[in-house]
Amino acid sequence: MIKLLLFLIIPLTSLEQTVDDNHQLLWEISGNGLEHNSYLFGSFHSNDKRLFNLSDSTFYALNSAELIALETDVFSLFDSWDTRTTLVQIKYDNEGEPYVSNADATETYYGSEDGMPQFLDAFFQQYCHNSDKRFHPLESVDFQLGLLSEVDAFDYGNIHLESLFLDKEDMLEMYLKGDIYKLDQMLRSSLAIYPQGYQKLITQRNFKMASGIDSLVRKGHVIFCAVGAGHLAGGSGIINLLRSKGYSLRTVAASYSDVSTPDRTKVLSNRSYDYDNDTLGLHIRFPGKPKLISSSLDEFDLKLVYRDFGQGNSFEVEIYPRTEEIGLQQLAEIYIASPEQSPAQRIQLDNGGEAWEGLADSYPEGLYWTRVIMNEEYFVIIKASGGNKFMNSKRAQRFFEGVWLN
């Protein structure tokens, strides 16, 4: 059931375009004394590549926004949540080189490695941080996890849940057509087995999220707000609730140009986040804004974590003080738990320095690629892991090359 719920929870250029006037995913919020229009978008909690063919009008709304509001701050779970549903199994050739025997894409709670790195909502949050826009969650993570725990505790008896999972593809097809009213009907049907399911998971949350959107736009913020498309339609849907508060809402036609518009190009150009710490002499290029973890109770000075929730990839950097004279090879022996068949190796860096790198295997992380670098004051442990395709690729090494220690 959790799998199912994870999928619930404009000026035009002179380019050649196709326009879908029946698409109902993007809504303009105006009136009620607002000086600037804001936008409400119906999302779908998946990393399926088809979802990312966003309309030109959606890219315009994203680029124009000062603040991006989403259901929750999913990035706050970076330090604790691995979305892979299975762990990678590694084999070794005659020379000790590791390889993944299974070339299939690893499945995640939001799809698989064949989809985009982030699921759609997390892509919006990634863009928000990478473009230095303001971010606001409409609900807390604890609140959403509490709802999932409550539903998971319900005794479904002899109900065959796999039949419900088949609804996901049907919902996705209806979503791609932009029919939020049909989606609402399908959602009501899917949640009918759960006592007050639609009321608890949709209606009650709609009132809270509509109130949050009202508060944001009243403060003068130009917002792009994305919530699950199942929250938009119906008598107690967010669209109707905002109208009852005095706002005008109209659909924005989905337009698609043959050539990338300036808004699309600008949004898609924000593909990385640079973390710089001058005190430590550290530079790291992450795919998006990492979560910073720092505690005097731990050995490390700080730890940074970023995850691709859609594909199940993780990127971590830990920074430790050098409290005694110890060589890089000794550090590698301590921090790279290499399998016997494939020991870590010394490598030469492009900047003239050196590092140790190898495959590590430890509990509970499982298998991950690791690199160790150091200077006179600190040493850095860099980790990257993912599914079958990630571990067979050079993505970990490309991430390692974006970490510099002066």
Side-chain angles (χ1 to χ4, degrees), residues 6-188:
L6 286 170
F7 288 91
L8 300 179
I9 23 172
I10 316 268
L12 303 181
T13 69
S14 59
L15 303 173
E16 290 294 323
Q17 292 180 320
T18 57
V19 179
D20 184 354
D21 292 319
N22 297 317
H23 216 254
Q24 300 159 339
L25 296 180
L26 182 64
W27 293 75
E28 181 187 76
I29 306 172
S30 62
N32 209 17
L34 297 183
E35 295 184 6
H36 305 284
N37 297 338
S38 287
Y39 296 90
L40 175 65
F41 179 80
S43 184
F44 196 91
H45 309 327
S46 166
N47 75 330
D48 190 296
K49 290 183 177 180
R50 291 172 290 178
L51 299 171
F52 292 78
N53 184 29
L54 299 169
S55 66
D56 296 340
S57 36
T58 303
F59 280 110
Y60 170 81
L62 271 168
N63 190 37
S64 301
E66 302 167 343
L67 181 149
I68 292 179
L70 301 174
E71 287 186 22
T72 195
D73 179 8
V74 69
F75 281 21
S76 66
L77 295 171
F78 275 166
D79 60 328
S80 59
W81 194 23
D82 184 344
T83 58
R84 292 176 298 176
T85 57
T86 57
L87 294 180
V88 173
Q89 299 295 319
I90 291 285
K91 292 187 176 181
Y92 305 90
D93 63 21
N94 293 333
E95 297 180 356
E97 290 295 322
Y99 68 93
V100 178
S101 57
N102 184 355
D104 294 339
T106 296
E107 298 290 325
T108 71
Y109 286 115
Y110 291 105
S112 75
E113 285 187 284
D114 284 338
M116 299 294 283
Q118 294 290 13
F119 67 97
L120 186 56
D121 309 64
F123 165 77
F124 292 142
Q125 187 167 354
Q126 178 188 43
Y127 162 70
C128 176
H129 295 314
N130 289 359
S131 59
D132 202 28
K133 294 180 184 289
R134 297 180 61 183
F135 172 73
H136 183 84
L138 298 173
E139 297 176 328
S140 71
V141 168
D142 288 342
F143 172 78
Q144 290 205 346
L145 292 178
L147 282 175
L148 291 176
S149 297
E150 183 180 347
V151 172
D152 195 39
F154 174 66
D155 182 7
Y156 290 92
N158 294 321
I159 295 173
H160 297 290
L161 294 183
E162 288 302 319
S163 64
L164 292 176
F165 299 157
L166 297 178
D167 290 346
K168 187 188 77 174
E169 184 61 29
D170 295 335
M171 287 183 177
L172 178 55
E173 290 182 8
M174 196 57 58
Y175 175 87
L176 294 171
K177 294 177 181 178
D179 191 339
I180 61 173
Y181 298 99
K182 182 64 174 178
L183 273 175
D184 181 59
Q185 294 174 14
M186 297 174 71
L187 194 55
R188 289 174 185 271

Side-chain angles (χ1 to χ4, degrees), residues 93-360:
D93 63 21
N94 293 333
E95 297 180 356
E97 290 295 322
Y99 68 93
V100 178
S101 57
N102 184 355
D104 294 339
T106 296
E107 298 290 325
T108 71
Y109 286 115
Y110 291 105
S112 75
E113 285 187 284
D114 284 338
M116 299 294 283
Q118 294 290 13
F119 67 97
L120 186 56
D121 309 64
F123 165 77
F124 292 142
Q125 187 167 354
Q126 178 188 43
Y127 162 70
C128 176
H129 295 314
N130 289 359
S131 59
D132 202 28
K133 294 180 184 289
R134 297 180 61 183
F135 172 73
H136 183 84
L138 298 173
E139 297 176 328
S140 71
V141 168
D142 288 342
F143 172 78
Q144 290 205 346
L145 292 178
L147 282 175
L148 291 176
S149 297
E150 183 180 347
V151 172
D152 195 39
F154 174 66
D155 182 7
Y156 290 92
N158 294 321
I159 295 173
H160 297 290
L161 294 183
E162 288 302 319
S163 64
L164 292 176
F165 299 157
L166 297 178
D167 290 346
K168 187 188 77 174
E169 184 61 29
D170 295 335
M171 287 183 177
L172 178 55
E173 290 182 8
M174 196 57 58
Y175 175 87
L176 294 171
K177 294 177 181 178
D179 191 339
I180 61 173
Y181 298 99
K182 182 64 174 178
L183 273 175
D184 181 59
Q185 294 174 14
M186 297 174 71
L187 194 55
R188 289 174 185 271
S189 177
S190 294
L191 292 174
I193 65 162
Y194 175 59
Q196 296 184 317
Y198 187 86
Q199 179 74 11
K200 290 183 177 181
L201 293 169
I202 304 298
T203 303
Q204 292 178 6
R205 294 173 61 205
N206 288 349
F207 281 93
K208 181 177 180 179
M209 289 193 284
S211 179
I213 296 168
D214 175 37
S215 177
L216 289 173
V217 296
R218 282 186 183 277
K219 292 177 181 177
H221 299 307
V222 177
I223 73 168
F224 175 89
C225 177
V227 298
H231 292 283
L232 298 185
S236 297
I238 292 178
I239 293 170
N240 200 45
L241 292 176
L242 288 176
R243 283 173 171 164
S244 70
K245 294 178 182 293
Y247 297 101
S248 296
L249 278 88
R250 70 170 186 88
T251 54
V252 181
S255 55
Y256 301 90
S257 300
D258 292 340
V259 179
S260 181
T261 63
D263 294 302
R264 179 186 293 266
T265 300
K266 188 170 183 179
V267 169
L268 295 181
S269 68
N270 290 278
R271 296 176 182 231
S272 62
Y273 183 95
D274 289 336
Y275 172 86
D276 290 290
N277 189 314
D278 294 335
T279 302
L280 301 177
L282 181 69
H283 170 87
I284 309 170
R285 173 156 289 184
F286 284 98
K289 186 178 180 180
K291 182 173 183 178
L292 174 63
I293 304 166
S294 178
S295 172
S296 59
L297 299 178
D298 294 305
E299 294 182 9
F300 54 77
D301 268 21
L302 58 86
K303 177 178 180 178
L304 300 112
V305 183
Y306 182 85
R307 296 184 189 268
D308 292 331
F309 282 138
Q311 293 180 349
N313 309 320
S314 298
F315 306 90
E316 302 183 20
V317 178
E318 299 173 358
I319 299 91
Y320 297 81
R322 288 187 64 188
T323 56
E324 58 184 70
E325 288 299 323
I326 184 170
L328 192 59
Q329 182 174 355
Q330 291 172 292
L331 289 171
E333 291 172 353
I334 295 171
Y335 288 95
I336 305 180
S338 296
E340 182 179 346
Q341 305 94 317
S342 182
Q345 297 180 345
R346 177 184 176 276
I347 60 172
Q348 194 71 32
L349 302 177
D350 291 339
N351 63 5
E354 67 176 37
W356 277 77
E357 184 175 302
L359 189 67

